[in-house]
Amino acid sequence: MLEYRISDWDDAYANGVNIARSDRWPEAWIKPADAFRDALLSAGRAKLDLAYGERPRNRMDLFLPDGSAKGLVVFVHGGFWLQTDKSVWSHLAAGAVASSYAVAMPSYTLCPEVRIGQIVTEVAAAIGEAAKRVEGPLMLTGHSAGGHLASRMVTATSPLAPHVQQRIRNVVSISGLHDLRPLLSTTMNEKLALDEAEAMAESPALLRPMENARITCWAGASERAEFLRQNALLANIWTGLGATTATVVEPNKHHFDVLDGLTDAAHPMTRTLLSV
């Protein structure tokens, strides 16, 4: 019998130090993100810094396809609710835009200025604003903390308005954090300020899915063991609660390059996200 116990929770959730040449991220995303954004802006197919709330970071970028949009994708960035903004990830809209979908990418206020529960509310506001601008089916995706935020939108306690909930066809949570309780034991919680009550209230894996929820939990095979566990966890639990679920572990991908699939319209990740 093999027993498994985590004694170092910081290491369990540490991606950079456990990935070879990790120092190339996030810089490796910045140039392609800038190039994609500039190209669509020049073509008149990008609307930048659209306000969805009153705080300085309550802004989103909207990327439009060539011609009428079949629907809307919202991508929510990660960074453990502590780092980055929408500008780093623009190129990840490429696959969906090439498939004739509009893509909204919001920033949100970071911890410790707000708590995670407040970020959930901000992301819901961003999705609601984007949904006003683009008709059709709505797909949600996000990476790491963004996977948490995307998944949280399709729980029974979703902050989304009912008419927006009804438009959601699919969610892809990429390397998502679905149970926040382990983070109580990390040093990053000094900034997150999570307590047991908030961790339970905001963890998708501890909540019931909304009616007709459909979610794919996607991770790279070279992820940290905790991210693989979190990836399997939500789909496992929600299957037993009536949701339509799938789990994908993509070979030869780690926490950072697992996102590459969203840049390609033909990649299974993009095709899964856009399946209706």
Side-chain angles (χ1 to χ4, degrees), residues 43-248:
R45 292 164 47 203
K47 299 181 180 181
L48 305 182
D49 293 321
L50 300 171
Y52 67 84
E54 297 180 356
R55 290 180 176 269
R57 289 177 59 95
N58 292 166
R59 300 290 184 271
M60 66 179 176
D61 294 341
L62 182 63
F63 303 111
L64 302 171
D66 186 9
S68 299
K70 293 180 179 179
L72 173 66
V73 171
V74 179
F75 173 86
V76 187
H77 74 77
F80 283 117
W81 310 273
L82 295 166
Q83 299 173 321
T84 81
D85 62 57
K86 59 185 175 60
S87 67
V88 180
W89 316 91
S90 304
H91 61 299
L92 300 181
V97 167
S99 302
S100 297
Y101 282 80
V103 178
M105 292 193 170
S107 292
Y108 48 83
T109 309
L110 300 174
C111 298
E113 184 176 347
V114 297
R115 300 177 69 93
I116 288 176
Q118 292 169 283
I119 295 175
V120 169
T121 300
E122 288 191 1
V123 169
I127 294 169
E129 178 61 29
K132 292 178 185 177
R133 296 172 178 269
V134 181
E135 298 180 347
L138 173 59
M139 286 72 166
L140 307 179
T141 186
H143 175 240
S144 198
H148 158 264
L149 293 164
S151 303
R152 179 69 177 83
M153 296 300 121
V154 292
T155 64
T157 56
S158 173
L160 291 172
H163 69 277
V164 177
Q165 294 182 32
Q166 292 167 7
R167 288 176 54 183
I168 298 173
R169 296 294 179 268
N170 201 10
V171 177
V172 176
S173 176
I174 306 167
S175 307
L177 294 162
H178 303 129
D179 180 357
L180 304 186
R181 292 174 300 175
L183 301 178
L184 294 170
S185 300
T186 65
T187 57
M188 79 175 81
N189 199 42
E190 294 172 6
K191 293 183 177 180
L192 297 178
L194 274 170
D195 56 28
E196 186 81 11
E198 185 178 30
M200 295 184 71
E202 301 299 344
S203 292
L206 305 181
L207 302 171
R208 299 189 70 88
M210 69 168 55
E211 187 175 356
N212 298 319
R214 182 171 173 235
I215 190 165
T216 297
C217 298
W218 194 299
S222 299
E223 300 252 14
R224 302 292 288 155
E226 263 300 273
F227 282 91
L228 291 171
R229 186 185 69 82
Q230 291 259 7
N231 191 63
L233 180 67
L234 183 62
N236 187 320
I237 292 174
W238 277 15
T239 298
L241 297 175
T244 301
T245 69
T247 304
V248 176

